[in-house]
């Protein structure tokens, strides 16, 4: 590389010298006979001078040819497919585009090279802080997309969960958007799924409509809806969406004692005229909003 | 429509308006807001002897379901409930030759209606043919529809508000129906139970 640059420099230098000497030839040709050639034999003097100059040019030319032969030819034009046409752009502000494009390409190429190197080095010295290890089968599962799953998969999941809880019925009533409705004797919940993940939950009274967009008219169900949103975020796990849905619904099932279970802490049913609307996320114990 | 518990509140040595005043002060102190008035009335018709064994029809109106007329037909062996629209009143007038009403049995309970959280509290002054008989307190917990689930909760609310006079057991009518879905006709049954007791009692009603 270093040697190449030196040779290129010397080649350029010799070209420069050649050009300046050629220039001198033309100067003297254009000027013709001058005063400093004297009076006698001025023509032969002039011819001598010209001859001298031409010899230098000749020498220089040989130098250029020598240094040229030393140079390694470049590996052909740098082509980026059709984008090469950008270099033929006529409008002024776009002329620079191709140059920038080539630079960017080179830059990303370098990044790839360096990151591959860094990756190799880091893989050799692992510094995991967690004990969590995923087995290969689980890791393969994460490769599948959770956002775009066929509706049958969701329906199968819902029917399998429905079988888990015999005291509630879970129905999917819309053919295109599977928003299952969970209906028990205590309350009713409408859940919107996005792929396999829970997107929205609304809890309503037994007799209220199945509309996803209006909240319940009762304070207690509005509070439960709020808590469901918190739990929905708590159980959210894009790695294992089925497990997330299952654990959410398992937690949600604890609301079948919404009106009948007293608060675990204050042992009362009512606080602020509301029953215990919070269920612990781990042990599913009922608590008032203020007691948890 | 949620589970409703109807209970009698003893007047002790106060007058009716005084008792209502005491109760409304208590409920306001708990944070309730008054939402108008309510009225439940009951008129009883008996069949004329020509129709065979005597049957009784109780016709009730509840301001909570203003477009509905509830009627309960007692045949002696069983009670048949019926919920109809307002035209039923006119039908009863047409049938006045078969079913006659005794004007002095017209019972009603009316008074202020309060809302507190998801609860609805009604403090009713009961009159039978415009004689004061007692106080009926109605508490409805609107989100819940199964009496067995919210009975403890309602009991706690009633005791917090009525003190020791609050009920300790569910109303007799509800005791066999604790697991069923509650409907407005169940409230009507409870009112009729109390009205029948008030009609039988002389003077000021006592706690049953």
């Amino acid at each position: 590389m270093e040697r190449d640059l030196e040779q290129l420099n010397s080649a350029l230098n010799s070209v420069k010298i050649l050009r300046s000497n050629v220039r001198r030839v033309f100067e003297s040709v254009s000027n013709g006979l001058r005063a400093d050639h004297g009076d006698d034999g001025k023509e032969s003097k002039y011819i001598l001078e010209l001859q001298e100059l031409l010899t230098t040019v000749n020498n220089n030319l040989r130098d250029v040819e020598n240094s040229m032969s030393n140079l390694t030819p470049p590996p052909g034009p740098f082509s980026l497919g059709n984008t090469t046409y950008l270099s033929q752009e006529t409008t002024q502000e776009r002329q620079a585009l191709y140059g920038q494009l080539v630079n960017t390409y080179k830059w990303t190429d370098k990044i790839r090279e360096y990151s591959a190197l860094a990756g190799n080095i880091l893989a050799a010295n692992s510094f995991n802080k967690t004990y969590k290890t995923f087995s290969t089968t689980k890791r393969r599962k994460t490769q599948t997309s959770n956002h775009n799953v066929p509706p049958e998969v969701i329906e199968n999941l819902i029917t399998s969960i429905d079988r888990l809880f015999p005291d509630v019925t879970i129905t999917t009533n819309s053919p295109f958007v599977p928003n299952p409705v969970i209906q028990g004797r205590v309350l009713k919940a409408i859940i919107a799924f996005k792929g396999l993940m829970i997107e929205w939950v609304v809890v309503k009274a037994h007799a209220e409509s199945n509309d996803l967009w209006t909240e319940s008219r009762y304070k207690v169900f509005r509070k439960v809806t709020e808590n469901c949103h918190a739990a929905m975020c708590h159980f959210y796990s894009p790695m294992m969406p089925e497990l997330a849905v299952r654990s959410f619904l398992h937690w949600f099932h604890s609301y079948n004692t919404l009106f009948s279970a007293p608060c675990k802490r204050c042992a009362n049913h009512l606080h602020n005229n509301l029953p215990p609307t919070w269920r612990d996320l781990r042990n599913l114990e009922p608590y008032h909003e203020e007691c948890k | 429509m949620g589970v409703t518990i109807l209970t009698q509140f003893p007047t002790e040595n106060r007058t009716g308006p005084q008792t209502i005043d005491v109760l409304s002060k208590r409920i306001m102190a708990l944070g309730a807001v008054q939402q108008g008035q309510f009225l439940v009335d009951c008129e009883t018709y008996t069949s004329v002897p020509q129709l065979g064994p005597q049957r009784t029809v109780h016709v009730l109106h509840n301001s909570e379901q203003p477009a509905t007329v509830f009627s309960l037909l007692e045949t002696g062996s069983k009670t048949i409930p019926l919920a109809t629209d307002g035209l039923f009143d006119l039908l009863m007038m047409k049938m006045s030759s078969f079913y006659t009403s005794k004007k002095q049995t017209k019972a009603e309970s009316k008074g202020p209606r309060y809302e507190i959280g998801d609860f609805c509290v009604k403090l009713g002054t009961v009159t039978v043919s415009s004689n004061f008989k007692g106080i009926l307190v109605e508490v409805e917990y609107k989100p819940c529809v199964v009496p067995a689930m919210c009975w403890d909760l309602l009991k706690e609310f009633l005791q917090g508000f009525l003190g020791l006079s609050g009920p300790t057991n569910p109303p007799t009518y509800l005791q066999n129906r604790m697991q069923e879905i509650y409907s407005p006709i169940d409230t009507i049954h409870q009112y009729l139970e109390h009205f029948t007791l008030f009609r039988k009692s002389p003077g000021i009603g006592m706690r049953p």
Side-chain angles (χ1 to χ4, degrees):
Chain A
M1 195 71 186
E2 197 79 345
R3 210 169 51 88
D4 276 358
L5 268 181
E6 243 170 56
Q7 281 175 350
L8 195 64
N9 262 334
S10 66
L12 283 175
N13 234 354
S14 46
V15 170
K16 209 158 70 189
I17 293 166
L18 173 67
R19 286 179 63 161
S20 86
N21 284 333
V22 169
R23 195 183 139 87
R24 275 175 66 198
V25 174
F26 283 110
E27 237 175 41
S28 96
V29 170
S30 63
N31 284 341
L33 292 172
R34 287 192 311 274
D36 56 328
H37 287 128
D39 276 343
D40 42 338
K42 53 188 171 185
E43 281 166 3
S44 57
K45 264 185 186 169
Y46 174 66
I47 287 169
L48 254 172
E49 185 193 287
L50 209 56
Q51 230 166 17
E52 230 169 77
L53 284 173
L54 282 173
T55 335
T56 352
V57 167
N58 216 5
N59 288 338
N60 287 341
L61 192 62
R62 209 167 36 246
D63 283 353
V64 169
E65 269 172 354
N66 275 338
S67 50
M68 281 286 283
S69 64
N70 283 336
L71 284 176
T72 45
F78 200 79
S79 168
L80 289 180
N82 284 339
T83 45
T84 2
Y85 297 124
L86 269 180
S87 58
Q88 287 156 12
E89 183 63 64
T90 45
T91 45
Q92 210 135 45
E93 63 265 31
R94 293 201 203 151
Q95 268 173 353
L97 272 183
Y98 185 67
Q100 285 177 358
L101 193 68
V102 171
N103 280 338
T104 321
Y105 179 80
K106 284 179 180 162
W107 194 77
T108 36
D109 213 39
K110 262 183 198 164
I111 283 196
R112 253 191 32 198
E113 196 181 316
Y114 291 156
S115 54
L117 274 173
N120 278 339
I121 296 165
L122 287 175
N125 313 289
S126 76
F127 53 96
N128 275 345
K129 281 183 185 164
T130 52
Y131 298 112
K132 203 186 270 178
T133 48
F134 289 106
S135 69
T136 46
T137 50
K138 270 185 187 160
R139 194 173 294 165
R140 200 168 298 132
K141 219 189 237 171
T142 62
Q143 300 294 317
T144 59
S145 161
N146 304 319
H147 297 274
N148 191 14
V149 286
E152 299 87 57
V153 176
I154 302 169
E155 262 168 51
N156 287 344
L157 174 72
I158 290 162
T159 42
S160 71
I161 292 169
D162 189 20
R163 266 182 237 121
L164 273 178
F165 307 116
D167 50 347
V168 294
T169 51
I170 306 179
T171 45
T172 49
N173 50 358
S174 341
F176 301 114
V177 200
N179 290 347
V181 177
I182 301 177
Q183 172 100 55
R185 278 152 62 83
V186 180
L187 48 77
K188 158 157 66 182
I190 300 106
I191 297 179
F193 272 88
K194 181 184 181 185
L196 272 178
M197 281 171 295
I198 296 174
E199 184 85 349
W200 195 248
V201 185
V202 182
V203 179
K204 291 185 172 196
H206 189 266
E208 284 184 288
S209 73
N210 283 357
D211 184 12
L212 184 65
W213 305 110
T214 52
E215 52 178 10
S216 172
R217 78 176 85 108
Y218 302 115
K219 286 198 175 98
V220 52
F221 292 127
R222 289 206 290 266
K223 190 54 94 182
V224 172
T225 305
E226 216 172 81
N227 289 338
C228 277
H229 291 167
M232 174 178 95
C233 298
H234 173 84
F235 289 117
Y236 177 77
S237 143
M239 293 292 170
M240 289 167 278
E242 283 194 31
L243 185 72
V245 174
R246 261 167 219 280
S247 30
F248 173 78
L249 285 172
H250 184 67
W251 172 84
F252 187 69
H253 184 250
S254 64
Y255 275 114
N256 66 350
T257 57
L258 175 64
F259 300 120
S260 45
C263 170
K264 203 78 189 164
R265 180 133 170 260
C266 65
N268 284 334
H269 279 282
L270 292 170
H271 190 287
N272 272 339
N273 300 310
L274 285 173
T277 48
W278 175 250
R279 294 290 183 273
D280 192 278
L281 292 165
R282 277 164 202 271
N283 49 24
L284 311 179
E285 280 170 349
Y287 288 100
H288 284 124
E289 183 82 353
E290 294 81 1
C291 296
K292 64 182 181 192
Chain B
M1 182 66 215
V3 178
T4 306
I5 301 290
L6 193 63
T7 184
Q8 197 186 333
F9 187 72
T11 45
E12 282 152 7
N13 42 21
R14 286 183 292 252
T15 65
Q18 276 173 342
T19 320
I20 294 287
D21 204 39
V22 167
L23 287 179
S24 58
K25 267 182 190 148
R26 277 193 206 168
I27 194 79
M28 297 289 261
L30 287 172
V33 184
Q34 188 172 352
Q35 300 276 343
Q37 305 279 325
F38 86 102
L39 168 72
V40 178
D41 64 42
C42 169
E43 204 152 348
T44 302
Y45 299 83
T46 44
S47 62
V48 292
Q50 292 92 313
L51 281 178
Q54 200 190 46
R55 275 168 290 183
T56 319
V57 179
H58 304 280
V59 178
L60 292 104
H61 302 88
N62 188 346
S63 57
E64 203 74 3
Q65 286 87 26
T68 313
V69 177
F70 300 95
S71 47
L72 299 163
L73 174 67
E74 276 177 26
T75 61
S77 52
K78 58 179 175 181
T79 308
I80 301 162
L82 187 65
T84 50
D85 65 16
L87 286 174
F88 191 79
D89 284 333
L90 302 174
L91 190 68
M92 284 311 284
M93 279 163 71
K94 287 273 183 203
M95 302 215 296
S96 55
S97 48
F98 304 109
Y99 283 96
T100 52
S101 77
K102 283 181 261 168
K103 274 292 166 219
Q104 61 268 37
T105 59
K106 186 177 163 83
E108 60 177 32
S109 167
K110 67 174 173 182
R113 177 182 183 278
Y114 297 91
E115 284 194 356
I116 166 167
D118 288 328
F119 291 90
C120 178
V121 178
K122 295 172 190 170
L123 309 175
T125 312
V126 183
T127 53
V128 175
S129 59
S130 62
N131 294 319
F132 172 72
K133 288 284 186 177
I135 302 291
L136 275 180
V137 177
E138 181 194 319
V139 172
E140 178 185 348
Y141 186 57
K142 293 186 279 179
C144 187
V145 288
V146 182
M149 286 176 180
C150 61
W151 163 246
D152 285 329
L153 182 148
L154 272 164
K155 191 169 78 176
E156 194 179 298
F157 181 81
L158 278 161
Q159 282 174 350
F161 155 55
L162 302 176
L164 288 175
S165 320
T168 46
N169 288 313
T172 38
Y173 171 77
L174 278 184
Q175 275 170 14
N176 310 322
R177 295 173 178 79
M178 291 300 272
Q179 290 296 341
E180 282 163 35
I181 304 266
Y182 195 89
S183 69
I185 197 84
D186 297 317
T187 311
I188 292 299
H189 270 287
Q190 289 189 56
Y191 266 105
L192 184 65
E193 236 175 36
H194 282 279
F195 285 154
T196 318
L197 284 171
F198 278 127
R199 277 174 185 159
K200 285 177 187 159
S201 72
I204 287 178
M206 287 291 115
R207 195 177 149 74

